[in-house]
Amino acid sequence: MTFRFIHSSDLHLGRRFLNLPEPQDGNLRGRLMEARFDKIQRLGAAAREHGAAHVLLAGDTFDSATPSPQVLRQALAAMRDESAVTWWLLPGNHDNMRNAEPIWDEISRDSPDNVRALLDGDRVDLAEGVALLPCPVPVRAAGRDLTEALPRIETSEGMIRIGLAHGGVVDFADRGDHIPPDRDQTAGLDYLALGDWHGRLKVSQRTQYSGSPEQDQFKHGMRGHCLAVTIPNQGAEPEVTEIETGSFLWQDTELALHDGEDAAAALEALLPSRDRRNTLLKVRASGWAPMSGHAALRIAADRHAPEFAYLELNANGLGTLHSVADLDEIDHAGAMRLAAEQLMAEAEDLSLSEDDRAIAAAALNRLYAYAQEAAK
């Protein structure tokens, strides 16, 4: 028989994004939180589009062990509204069974008929000839391989075996708390659906991370995905289709400048031209630029920032090329000129530490920027 399902994980519903500074409009965190809820509907749509009746969530459906009643109830209501789909929720490290016990009790007691909590390692039959083998996370740091029991779970001959787990896969040779990358083979699994890694990662054709359907960090450089998985029959290689689900793109990119390059033009060439409102971008400037280049780069970043969901320029790695002409732009004489000359001398003094030289250079760049602003 052919069996189709959607593999997703790490929705982290209720995450507040306090690590991001709130822009002046005060709306970014709210937009990011709402986008995570929207993914429930998007996963349901992906299931319908691919003829799947089940969505397997491989842990961390909730960002914490104590989501607000609104977060919990609205999530269950959204899943209830996708009535053609059965949602299978596996406790992860953020919403593990011990710390989040009240959540799982409430879900088990009050959830809609199409929402199922997987609170033990017992086999669940998803359809005739299809067994789901869940590995719920009991505590935040279990300290052991939670898939270790899978090879001992018996199923009838010819039955499709699908594992569902939350944790990291590395070479299985150190502390014993990671999932071995060959677990699909040792447990006779047709597919092992994993969560915990927020990016898309294919360990093997039978062992895969879907990643979060909505990204939440500057790490993976792509929008969120889920996976549509088709298993033609027991033992057959699964067919895995990536489905882009994310609303926001988080990117961390480097802007390498060289002597004589127009810093502002280089930044503008680097910035994406489309969908800036849904893009969070960190730009790390490196190389060398004169003080005028530093100032122009900052002005360009400030000019474009309101077009983005978030834009951060980090110029700590951008060295400064000093010149007397730059000092003349600050002042020709007087106290400001003396301060600028002192800072330039410290920035170029090799007897000082690298940190002290960097502090002096940054102060000189700031003084130059103030002088340019005052001259307008």
Side-chain angles (χ1 to χ4, degrees):
M1 65 167 293
T2 297
F3 186 73
R4 296 183 176 90
F5 62 94
I6 297 296
H7 167 200
S8 188
S9 72
D10 296 280
L11 271 73
H12 285 273
L13 299 174
R15 181 169 184 186
R16 300 171 62 189
F17 296 95
L18 297 179
N19 59 316
L20 285 176
E22 191 67 273
Q24 289 185 350
D25 64 10
N27 191 40
L28 175 59
R29 292 174 186 163
R31 292 182 64 211
L32 293 172
M33 291 178 70
E34 190 61 29
R36 309 197 79 75
F37 272 98
D38 291 344
K39 298 297 96 68
I40 296 175
Q41 185 179 43
R42 182 68 186 93
L43 292 172
R48 293 193 301 273
E49 292 163 6
H50 289 267
H54 299 270
V55 174
L56 308 185
L57 298 179
D60 286 355
T61 301
F62 301 98
D63 188 58
S64 76
T66 56
S68 69
Q70 289 83 3
V71 168
L72 177 57
R73 288 293 180 166
Q74 290 176 18
L76 295 179
M79 294 177 188
R80 177 200 62 210
D81 292 344
E82 296 294 333
S83 57
V85 176
T86 299
W87 301 80
W88 298 91
L89 279 57
L90 184 81
N93 59 310
H94 280 253
D95 52 11
N96 63 82
M97 289 192 296
R98 175 182 294 176
N99 297 110
E101 184 177 2
I103 297 176
W104 297 111
D105 286 346
E106 184 170 350
I107 292 174
S108 298
R109 183 181 65 247
D110 300 332
S111 66
D113 291 341
N114 65 328
V115 178
R116 311 288 179 83
L118 297 164
L119 303 182
D120 56 47
D122 293 344
R123 185 187 101 189
V124 176
D125 291 345
L126 299 180
E128 185 177 354
V130 181
L132 176 65
L133 311 180
C135 305
V137 177
V139 295
R140 187 174 180 91
R144 60 187 177 86
D145 168 26
L146 296 175
T147 69
E148 186 270 337
L150 293 183
R152 298 191 296 274
I153 299 177
E154 296 182 357
T155 53
S156 301
E157 185 176 352
M159 202 169 199
I160 291 173
R161 291 166 59 91
I162 301 171
L164 184 65
H166 188 89
V169 171
V170 298
D171 289 336
F172 199 55
D174 46 13
R175 298 172 302 172
D177 61 349
H178 295 287
I179 300 168
D182 64 346
R183 178 59 75 205
D184 60 309
Q185 300 173 42
T186 60
L189 302 176
D190 294 283
Y191 187 82
L192 177 55
L194 293 176
D196 193 29
W197 181 248
H198 289 199
R200 168 78 179 99
L201 179 62
K202 176 181 176 181
V203 179
S204 70
Q205 189 62 23
R206 297 185 187 276
T207 300
Q208 307 211 21
Y209 287 91
S210 63
S212 174
E214 185 64 55
Q215 286 299 319
D216 56 8
Q217 53 189 313
F218 296 97
K219 193 170 186 177
H220 304 294
M222 61 189 301
R223 283 183 166 84
H225 285 72
C226 72
L227 302 178
V229 183
T230 300
I231 303 177
N233 52 65
Q234 191 276 327
E237 188 171 89
E239 302 166 9
V240 180
T241 302
E242 295 182 0
I243 304 171
E244 185 175 285
T245 53
S247 301
F248 287 91
L249 176 63
W250 299 60
Q251 285 190 312
D252 186 341
T253 187
E254 183 176 1
L255 175 64
L257 298 172
H258 56 77
D259 185 10
E261 186 173 10
D262 185 326
L267 175 64
E268 291 173 351
L270 179 73
L271 297 178
S273 60
R274 298 173 59 107
D275 201 26
R276 292 184 173 186
R277 184 174 185 270
N278 295 317
T279 299
L280 295 90
L281 180 64
K282 284 185 177 182
V283 178
R284 292 172 288 105
S286 63
W288 296 92
M291 281 190 283
S292 58
H294 277 263
L297 187 63
R298 175 58 61 187
I299 290 170
D302 290 344
R303 183 173 69 252
H304 289 289
E307 302 170 16
F308 287 81
Y310 179 81
L311 175 60
E312 175 187 313
L313 172 65
N314 184 339
N316 293 339
L318 182 62
T320 304
L321 299 169
H322 301 110
S323 70
V324 173
D326 285 330
L327 298 188
D328 290 340
E329 291 286 333
I330 296 174
D331 203 349
H332 289 279
M336 285 188 64
R337 177 61 179 240
L338 289 174
E341 290 177 347
Q342 178 64 31
L343 288 171
M344 187 168 80
E346 292 178 5
E348 297 177 345
D349 187 352
L350 296 180
S351 68
L352 297 177
S353 69
E354 184 177 347
D355 286 345
D356 287 342
R357 296 199 306 272
I359 291 171
L364 184 56
N365 290 334
R366 183 66 59 86
L367 184 61
Y368 180 92
Y370 287 154
Q372 294 299 300
E373 286 293 323
K376 291 182 181 179

